[in-house]
Amino acid sequence: MPAFSFTSERINESELRKQLQDPAAGGYASFEGWVRNHNEGLPVRHLEYEAFEPLAIKEGERIVAEAVKRFGIEHAACVHRIGDLAIGEMAVWVGVSARHRAEAFAACRYIIDEVKHRVPIWKKEHYENGDSGWVNCERCAAPTTGPAEQGADADHAHATAYDHSHSHGASGTHDHSHSHGAFGTHDHSHSHNASGAHRHGAHEGATVKQGQTSSPATASALAATHARIGAPVPDYSRQMALKEVGAAGQAKLRASRVLVVGCGGLGVPVISYLAGAGIGRLGLIDSDHLEPSNLHRQTMYALADVGKPKAHLAAERVRALNPDVDVRPYTTRLDALNAPDLIAQHDLVIDCTDNFSTKFLLNDYCVQLGKPVVFASVYQYEGQLQIVQPGSACLRCVWPEATRDGIVGNCSEAGVLGPVPGIFGGLQAFEAMKLLLDLPGQLKDELLVLDLLTLTTSRVRTKRASACPEHAISRATAAQAAAVAQANAAAASGTAPNQRGQIGGHGTPGPADAQVATSPLELSFDTLDQAHDAGFDIVDIREPHELEETPTPSAHARALPMAELLHGQPPFKPTRKTVLVCASGRRSLAATQELRERGIADVYSLRGGVKGLQARLFT
Ligand SMILES: [Zn+2]
């Protein structure tokens, strides 16, 4: 049977359906568009459909072929009525048979939407009052209405949805005043294109004969139509050609929801590949704004984008790359308060952050919620990859003495060559697709370490701790409590907390580490002298070369590099309140956590570090 055809006879759907039957097909989906007895408040008696058949058939065939390729379906066909139709008659029929129902539904929907949008078919309504008119579809007339918003209701199961300018020209009679009965009265300001000229002649005669296409105006209209219908659509054929993927795999990707945490060096390749692959929904979270120093490794962005929120930039890029993807940007920072909800809304999480506190936060909630998470970390010329999923070792099983943020350093402080995160992000995207497609060879119970300078890989076996389930949950609970405590501290803005009361002093029963975590670790001051006046000792833990470049902005500070601070007994009185300072607040936070765990209670990290103080001076 032809992929797309017109008929002036009644559409015999049961005959058509039989022709799509295939023993290999497990699903069949069909759409029928019927003639409705009213349109926009006017009772309709009957309808006339007309088409410019040579072009319409070509375009219809192209749409069906696209659907076959896109969704990997077995068979599809579309039949459209032309001529005179009575109320209740079927105007258009689409049938699809496929291996699985998901592709059948998706392809059927695609075909009818595209036919309505692209195929040159027009209808004339004959009303009860004796008037008649080429249909002025309100939704076509509204300039902001896109094809995606077109419903599948039978009344619009014709070509009214198709290109705005074209349908004006096509219908010819319409102006925006919505004159249904104004047959033959043209609003010439709306004769957008030459197809209008062609159609004017056509509808005035009330019938269209094929081949009435001789005017030069008509030729240019057809060229315009061709240019428009050539608009590209996402095409997954290259990945679907793999026998491990195929249509079923494509449907899996389309049905999946992936949360990408971080839109930086690791996130950029992850986001690009997953968008290209046709993942159904991508959640993108990043609270940072693009900086010029990001661009050598974050290749999705442009210099002109500097200063804009990365999550929005990335989402924009995804939309441009693949309109099939439902992309949702979040510009907040992932924390213990928003993490559970965000994670729960997705099937898979990809950690593209460069800080350990977020990695552990993700670890804890993903373990708790039973969601797989693909981790990667990059340090200078090497990196590592680990997947945590239900039943496998988690981050805390591997790192029982949780590595602190900043102890290892991040890109801004340690330096990195652009392709390094690119390679690891690529690996993450690939492992994510292996998980989603259930491909063999998944990285499981192993940690992959890859050194790009020597091009050597090593795989470290990971073992799940027997205590894993409990401690993951308690850590998550602790993180939650910490977030609440921090939120409260922030609300009390600027006032130094009552340290004694907050450090394990609440008497709330809970795991030992939760008590440490409930004390605020970070404090904010406008100047370091303010901290000094409030009775704090100030220790700058940056390296000597950093101090040379940017000296500590206070005469009361003492310099003590982080490594020395953490080596053996801390060289300051544990009874004094101490605030640690570094460049960005990451290393000082890490050191604070470390010292707290060693039992030193009155130590705090300066939020935002020296950079934060400078920023405050200028704002
Ligand atoms: Zn564990």
Side-chain angles (χ1 to χ4, degrees):
M1 79 193 284
F4 185 92
S5 56
F6 286 105
T7 178
S8 50
E9 307 291 309
R10 194 184 75 79
I11 296 174
N12 187 340
E13 70 279 4
S14 61
E15 270 310 305
L16 291 164
R17 186 179 150 276
K18 271 186 211 155
Q19 295 181 54
L20 295 182
Q21 280 183 341
D22 181 335
Y28 166 79
S30 172
F31 171 82
E32 296 178 5
W34 300 342
V35 177
R36 199 162 67 169
N37 67 358
H38 62 279
N39 186 34
E40 311 201 343
L42 285 172
V44 173
R45 213 150 33 91
H46 66 108
L47 282 182
E48 269 175 70
Y49 275 103
E50 293 182 1
F52 175 52
E53 289 192 41
L55 181 60
I57 288 174
K58 232 179 210 162
E59 190 57 14
E61 284 172 343
R62 194 177 293 145
I63 290 166
V64 173
E66 280 166 12
V68 168
K69 197 165 152 193
R70 242 181 139 182
F71 301 98
I73 51 177
E74 308 299 307
H75 311 281
C78 176
V79 178
H80 207 293
R81 266 295 282 281
I82 43 172
D84 212 29
L85 275 80
I87 302 301
E89 281 201 286
M90 196 191 305
V92 59
W93 170 90
V94 177
V96 173
S97 59
R99 264 166 284 178
H100 309 98
R101 66 180 182 281
E103 300 99 87
F105 280 128
C108 187
R109 168 92 203 224
Y110 177 81
I111 292 170
I112 188 60
D113 285 349
E114 294 296 308
V115 164
K116 284 165 60 182
H117 187 53
R118 286 160 50 184
V119 177
I121 304 167
W122 304 295
K123 84 173 172 185
K124 181 180 180 183
E125 291 180 339
H126 295 265
Y127 306 108
E128 291 287 6
N129 64 8
D131 280 348
S132 66
W134 294 92
V135 172
N136 184 3
C137 172
E138 196 172 357
R139 285 180 290 179
C140 301
T144 52
T145 303
E149 294 161 49
Q150 300 290 338
D153 53 313
D155 191 50
H156 289 93
H158 60 93
T160 51
Y162 102 119
D163 178 68
H164 184 202
S165 60
H166 196 142
S167 43
H168 280 294
S171 329
T173 58
H174 313 317
D175 58 26
H176 285 208
S177 68
H178 198 226
S179 53
H180 274 290
F183 182 60
T185 56
H186 310 314
D187 178 348
H188 284 281
S189 66
H190 285 96
S191 299
H192 295 295
N193 61 29
S195 116
H198 162 58
R199 301 304 308 172
H200 292 176
H203 74 70
E204 277 162 9
T207 52
V208 176
K209 295 280 176 277
Q210 286 173 40
Q212 262 182 318
T213 59
S214 53
S215 78
T218 305
S220 77
L222 291 182
T225 306
H226 275 299
R228 186 174 45 72
I229 59 192
V233 292
D235 179 345
Y236 309 111
S237 58
R238 291 300 185 277
Q239 69 192 34
M240 286 171 69
L242 292 163
K243 69 174 182 349
E244 294 82 5
V245 182
Q250 194 58 46
K252 278 185 202 166
L253 295 177
R254 202 181 173 79
S256 32
R257 301 160 302 167
V258 178
L259 179 65
V260 181
V261 184
C263 303
L266 291 167
V268 160
V270 166
I271 294 163
S272 311
Y273 284 124
L274 294 187
I279 297 292
R281 192 207 290 177
L282 275 181
L284 309 178
I285 179 163
D286 199 311
S287 62
D288 284 347
H289 292 67
L290 188 69
E291 293 178 26
S293 65
N294 297 153
L295 292 169
H296 80 126
R297 63 187 187 281
Q298 301 173 19
T299 55
M300 196 161 71
Y301 308 123
L303 200 52
D305 295 332
V306 165
K308 296 179 186 162
K310 284 193 212 176
H312 284 163
L313 291 172
E316 217 171 274
R317 187 83 191 95
V318 169
R319 286 186 200 109
L321 193 64
N322 190 346
D324 280 355
V325 178
D326 169 14
V327 60
R328 304 188 182 185
Y330 304 93
T331 53
T332 48
R333 195 181 156 82
L334 189 87
D335 60 31
L337 295 178
N338 59 30
D341 267 358
L342 266 175
I343 294 168
Q345 288 167 26
H346 296 83
D347 309 307
L348 171 70
V349 177
I350 306 184
D351 158 59
C352 300
T353 67
D354 63 356
N355 72 83
F356 286 93
S357 49
T358 308
K359 287 179 195 294
F360 281 101
L361 184 76
L362 280 175
N363 178 80
D364 298 349
Y365 281 113
C366 287
V367 170
Q368 193 177 9
L369 297 165
K371 303 279 183 176
V373 49
V374 181
F375 287 104
S377 298
V378 171
Y379 181 64
Q380 294 189 340
Y381 301 102
E382 65 168 55
Q384 46 184 261
L385 193 69
Q386 187 186 348
I387 296 174
V388 171
Q389 52 183 318
S392 78
C394 83
L395 231 51
R396 291 192 193 277
C397 296
V398 181
W399 312 103
E401 302 295 320
T403 310
R404 293 302 180 200
D405 233 6
I407 286 180
V408 181
N410 58 45
C411 291
S412 55
E413 280 149 25
V416 68
L417 284 176
V420 176
I423 288 163
F424 282 89
L427 283 171
Q428 284 183 291
F430 186 58
E431 287 302 313
M433 289 176 73
K434 277 159 83 176
L435 283 167
L436 296 172
L437 292 166
D438 202 20
L439 298 185
Q442 292 171 13
L443 185 68
K444 211 184 166 199
D445 298 322
E446 269 182 325
L447 179 74
L448 180 80
V449 183
L450 170 58
D451 181 337
L452 290 166
L453 272 188
T454 57
L455 289 174
T456 47
T457 57
S458 44
R459 299 168 77 115
V460 182
R461 284 209 72 79
T462 59
K463 199 168 171 291
R464 185 165 187 254
S466 53
C468 182
E470 307 141 42
H471 95 238
I473 290 169
S474 72
R475 290 279 184 164
T477 314
Q480 182 102 45
V484 174
Q486 285 204 2
N488 290 343
S493 74
T495 51
N498 172 0
Q499 298 87 5
R500 282 284 155 238
Q502 295 200 1
I503 298 170
H506 283 308
T508 25
D513 47 14
Q515 294 184 341
V516 174
T518 50
S519 166
L521 293 163
E522 295 179 293
L523 297 178
S524 291
F525 294 101
D526 289 336
T527 63
L528 285 178
D529 289 345
Q530 199 180 68
H532 173 78
D533 294 345
F536 284 86
D537 283 346
I538 302 160
V539 178
D540 192 324
I541 64 165
R542 291 176 298 159
E543 301 300 315
H545 72 267
E546 294 179 271
L547 288 170
E548 230 168 83
E549 207 172 289
T550 317
T552 319
S554 168
H556 305 288
R558 199 151 60 94
L560 187 66
M562 182 163 173
E564 278 178 51
L565 171 76
L566 296 180
H567 182 76
Q569 285 301 309
F572 55 79
K573 289 200 183 88
T575 49
R576 294 276 300 164
K577 295 188 291 184
T578 304
V579 61
L580 304 180
V581 181
C582 73
S584 66
R586 283 177 200 267
R587 280 174 293 173
S588 56
L589 177 62
T592 301
Q593 282 175 310
E594 183 66 33
L595 294 173
R596 287 278 184 90
E597 291 197 357
R598 292 187 198 169
I600 299 165
D602 276 359
V603 60
Y604 300 88
S605 164
L606 176 70
R607 189 193 298 271
V610 173
K611 283 181 198 156
L613 291 174
Q614 287 169 333
R616 241 167 264 148
L617 279 181
F618 292 114
T619 50

PDB file of all heavy atoms in Angstrom, residues 363 367 392-398 464-465 467-469 471-472, ligand 1:
ATOM      1  N   ASN A 363      25.671  11.112  46.405  1.00  0.00           N
ATOM      2  CA  ASN A 363      25.860   9.710  46.771  1.00  0.00           C
ATOM      3  C   ASN A 363      24.806   9.281  47.790  1.00  0.00           C
ATOM      4  O   ASN A 363      24.094   8.294  47.606  1.00  0.00           O
ATOM      5  CB  ASN A 363      27.257   9.522  47.351  1.00  0.00           C
ATOM      6  CG  ASN A 363      27.510   8.095  47.801  1.00  0.00           C
ATOM      7  OD1 ASN A 363      27.803   7.226  46.989  1.00  0.00           O
ATOM      8  ND2 ASN A 363      27.382   7.827  49.106  1.00  0.00           N
ATOM      9  N   VAL A 367      21.785   6.709  46.912  1.00  0.00           N
ATOM     10  CA  VAL A 367      21.748   5.406  47.573  1.00  0.00           C
ATOM     11  C   VAL A 367      20.401   5.249  48.286  1.00  0.00           C
ATOM     12  O   VAL A 367      19.732   4.223  48.184  1.00  0.00           O
ATOM     13  CB  VAL A 367      22.930   5.254  48.558  1.00  0.00           C
ATOM     14  CG1 VAL A 367      22.754   4.018  49.430  1.00  0.00           C
ATOM     15  CG2 VAL A 367      24.241   5.175  47.795  1.00  0.00           C
ATOM     16  N   SER A 392      25.543  -1.818  44.644  1.00  0.00           N
ATOM     17  CA  SER A 392      26.991  -1.695  44.431  1.00  0.00           C
ATOM     18  C   SER A 392      27.606  -0.896  45.571  1.00  0.00           C
ATOM     19  O   SER A 392      26.907  -0.324  46.395  1.00  0.00           O
ATOM     20  CB  SER A 392      27.273  -1.013  43.096  1.00  0.00           C
ATOM     21  OG  SER A 392      27.083   0.381  43.210  1.00  0.00           O
ATOM     22  N   ALA A 393      28.933  -0.867  45.579  1.00  0.00           N
ATOM     23  CA  ALA A 393      29.630  -0.046  46.572  1.00  0.00           C
ATOM     24  C   ALA A 393      29.318   1.419  46.300  1.00  0.00           C
ATOM     25  O   ALA A 393      29.216   1.835  45.152  1.00  0.00           O
ATOM     26  CB  ALA A 393      31.129  -0.279  46.453  1.00  0.00           C
ATOM     27  N   CYS A 394      29.128   2.178  47.379  1.00  0.00           N
ATOM     28  CA  CYS A 394      28.874   3.602  47.186  1.00  0.00           C
ATOM     29  C   CYS A 394      30.162   4.379  47.434  1.00  0.00           C
ATOM     30  O   CYS A 394      31.192   3.804  47.779  1.00  0.00           O
ATOM     31  CB  CYS A 394      27.725   4.086  48.066  1.00  0.00           C
ATOM     32  SG  CYS A 394      28.175   4.505  49.755  1.00  0.00           S
ATOM     33  N   LEU A 395      30.077   5.691  47.248  1.00  0.00           N
ATOM     34  CA  LEU A 395      31.260   6.540  47.421  1.00  0.00           C
ATOM     35  C   LEU A 395      31.854   6.396  48.826  1.00  0.00           C
ATOM     36  O   LEU A 395      33.063   6.391  49.009  1.00  0.00           O
ATOM     37  CB  LEU A 395      30.859   7.999  47.180  1.00  0.00           C
ATOM     38  CG  LEU A 395      31.688   8.815  46.218  1.00  0.00           C
ATOM     39  CD1 LEU A 395      31.877   8.112  44.893  1.00  0.00           C
ATOM     40  CD2 LEU A 395      31.041  10.178  45.994  1.00  0.00           C
ATOM     41  N   ARG A 396      30.965   6.257  49.809  1.00  0.00           N
ATOM     42  CA  ARG A 396      31.455   6.178  51.182  1.00  0.00           C
ATOM     43  C   ARG A 396      32.038   4.803  51.521  1.00  0.00           C
ATOM     44  O   ARG A 396      32.811   4.685  52.460  1.00  0.00           O
ATOM     45  CB  ARG A 396      30.338   6.535  52.161  1.00  0.00           C
ATOM     46  CG  ARG A 396      29.958   7.998  52.082  1.00  0.00           C
ATOM     47  CD  ARG A 396      29.068   8.405  53.227  1.00  0.00           C
ATOM     48  NE  ARG A 396      28.478   9.705  52.988  1.00  0.00           N
ATOM     49  CZ  ARG A 396      29.095  10.866  53.236  1.00  0.00           C
ATOM     50  NH1 ARG A 396      30.304  10.882  53.725  1.00  0.00           N
ATOM     51  NH2 ARG A 396      28.476  11.997  52.981  1.00  0.00           N
ATOM     52  N   CYS A 397      31.635   3.779  50.754  1.00  0.00           N
ATOM     53  CA  CYS A 397      32.257   2.467  50.953  1.00  0.00           C
ATOM     54  C   CYS A 397      33.710   2.553  50.488  1.00  0.00           C
ATOM     55  O   CYS A 397      34.596   1.924  51.056  1.00  0.00           O
ATOM     56  CB  CYS A 397      31.555   1.401  50.119  1.00  0.00           C
ATOM     57  SG  CYS A 397      29.846   1.114  50.556  1.00  0.00           S
ATOM     58  N   VAL A 398      33.929   3.323  49.413  1.00  0.00           N
ATOM     59  CA  VAL A 398      35.265   3.416  48.833  1.00  0.00           C
ATOM     60  C   VAL A 398      36.126   4.421  49.598  1.00  0.00           C
ATOM     61  O   VAL A 398      37.318   4.227  49.763  1.00  0.00           O
ATOM     62  CB  VAL A 398      35.159   3.826  47.347  1.00  0.00           C
ATOM     63  CG1 VAL A 398      36.529   3.911  46.696  1.00  0.00           C
ATOM     64  CG2 VAL A 398      34.283   2.831  46.590  1.00  0.00           C
ATOM     65  N   ARG A 464      31.410  -3.343  48.584  1.00  0.00           N
ATOM     66  CA  ARG A 464      30.315  -2.705  49.296  1.00  0.00           C
ATOM     67  C   ARG A 464      30.428  -3.023  50.782  1.00  0.00           C
ATOM     68  O   ARG A 464      30.532  -4.189  51.170  1.00  0.00           O
ATOM     69  CB  ARG A 464      28.984  -3.238  48.748  1.00  0.00           C
ATOM     70  CG  ARG A 464      27.773  -2.556  49.337  1.00  0.00           C
ATOM     71  CD  ARG A 464      26.549  -2.870  48.495  1.00  0.00           C
ATOM     72  NE  ARG A 464      25.407  -2.098  48.953  1.00  0.00           N
ATOM     73  CZ  ARG A 464      24.401  -2.624  49.637  1.00  0.00           C
ATOM     74  NH1 ARG A 464      24.391  -3.919  49.925  1.00  0.00           N
ATOM     75  NH2 ARG A 464      23.400  -1.860  50.019  1.00  0.00           N
ATOM     76  N   ALA A 465      30.434  -1.978  51.609  1.00  0.00           N
ATOM     77  CA  ALA A 465      30.506  -2.190  53.059  1.00  0.00           C
ATOM     78  C   ALA A 465      29.170  -2.742  53.541  1.00  0.00           C
ATOM     79  O   ALA A 465      28.123  -2.371  53.012  1.00  0.00           O
ATOM     80  CB  ALA A 465      30.820  -0.876  53.753  1.00  0.00           C
ATOM     81  N   ALA A 467      27.736  -2.086  56.155  1.00  0.00           N
ATOM     82  CA  ALA A 467      26.969  -1.024  56.809  1.00  0.00           C
ATOM     83  C   ALA A 467      26.452   0.012  55.814  1.00  0.00           C
ATOM     84  O   ALA A 467      25.847   1.002  56.206  1.00  0.00           O
ATOM     85  CB  ALA A 467      27.831  -0.341  57.856  1.00  0.00           C
ATOM     86  N   CYS A 468      26.699  -0.217  54.538  1.00  0.00           N
ATOM     87  CA  CYS A 468      26.399   0.812  53.536  1.00  0.00           C
ATOM     88  C   CYS A 468      24.982   1.387  53.623  1.00  0.00           C
ATOM     89  O   CYS A 468      24.831   2.603  53.675  1.00  0.00           O
ATOM     90  CB  CYS A 468      26.673   0.272  52.141  1.00  0.00           C
ATOM     91  SG  CYS A 468      26.380   1.484  50.856  1.00  0.00           S
ATOM     92  N   PRO A 469      23.943   0.542  53.661  1.00  0.00           N
ATOM     93  CA  PRO A 469      22.595   1.130  53.617  1.00  0.00           C
ATOM     94  C   PRO A 469      22.336   2.098  54.776  1.00  0.00           C
ATOM     95  O   PRO A 469      21.890   3.220  54.549  1.00  0.00           O
ATOM     96  CB  PRO A 469      21.671  -0.076  53.717  1.00  0.00           C
ATOM     97  CG  PRO A 469      22.508  -1.271  53.505  1.00  0.00           C
ATOM     98  CD  PRO A 469      23.919  -0.897  53.771  1.00  0.00           C
ATOM     99  N   HIS A 471      24.524   3.655  56.807  1.00  0.00           N
ATOM    100  CA  HIS A 471      25.307   4.884  56.923  1.00  0.00           C
ATOM    101  C   HIS A 471      24.981   5.871  55.807  1.00  0.00           C
ATOM    102  O   HIS A 471      25.038   7.075  56.009  1.00  0.00           O
ATOM    103  CB  HIS A 471      26.809   4.597  57.117  1.00  0.00           C
ATOM    104  CG  HIS A 471      27.657   4.608  55.897  1.00  0.00           C
ATOM    105  ND1 HIS A 471      28.401   3.529  55.508  1.00  0.00           N
ATOM    106  CD2 HIS A 471      27.903   5.564  54.992  1.00  0.00           C
ATOM    107  CE1 HIS A 471      29.072   3.831  54.415  1.00  0.00           C
ATOM    108  NE2 HIS A 471      28.785   5.063  54.083  1.00  0.00           N
ATOM    109  N   ALA A 472      24.605   5.369  54.658  1.00  0.00           N
ATOM    110  CA  ALA A 472      24.214   6.282  53.592  1.00  0.00           C
ATOM    111  C   ALA A 472      23.003   7.102  54.014  1.00  0.00           C
ATOM    112  O   ALA A 472      22.962   8.312  53.830  1.00  0.00           O
ATOM    113  CB  ALA A 472      23.903   5.512  52.325  1.00  0.00           C
TER     114      ALA A 472
HETATM  115 ZN    ZN B   1      28.283   2.607  50.940  1.00  0.00          ZN
END
